[in-house]
Amino acid sequence: MSKKAIEKVRLEISVVLGKATMPINQLLKMGRGAVIELDAGVDDYAYIFANKKLVARGEVVVSGENVAVSITDLVRGD
């Protein structure tokens, strides 16, 4: 497979660390640096999605000012 063929593949990766519910007016009032409290704890999984499909679970890793997700489990597809 050529490099050009790979460059044309579109893949959306998203990571869900937790969830929060709030009124839209509260969200609109938030400024830069605002903190949103999530329903997950520090030991809970982060969920990794590829094109909106769950593909893996992992844990958040902080190193200095960098934040990453280390994959711990792959989720088998159908």
Side-chain angles (χ1 to χ4, degrees):
M1 183 177 290
S2 72
K3 182 178 177 182
K4 286 188 178 196
I6 292 173
E7 289 174 350
K8 293 180 182 181
V9 174
R10 300 202 33 93
L11 181 65
E12 177 183 315
I13 300 291
S14 57
V15 177
V16 176
L17 303 174
K19 296 179 183 175
T21 302
M22 69 175 53
I24 190 70
N25 64 337
Q26 183 181 352
L27 179 65
L28 293 173
K29 291 179 185 177
M30 298 182 103
R32 184 180 196 116
V35 175
I36 299 173
E37 188 172 335
L38 302 175
D39 65 352
V42 294
D43 293 327
D44 289 341
Y45 280 117
Y47 294 91
I48 299 109
F49 292 84
N51 293 336
K52 300 182 182 177
K53 181 177 179 182
L54 181 64
V55 294
R57 286 185 291 270
E59 58 186 20
V60 177
V61 179
V62 179
S63 176
E65 293 184 11
N66 297 313
V67 178
V69 176
S70 175
I71 295 174
T72 56
D73 300 299
L74 295 176
V75 176
R76 297 186 71 144
D78 296 351

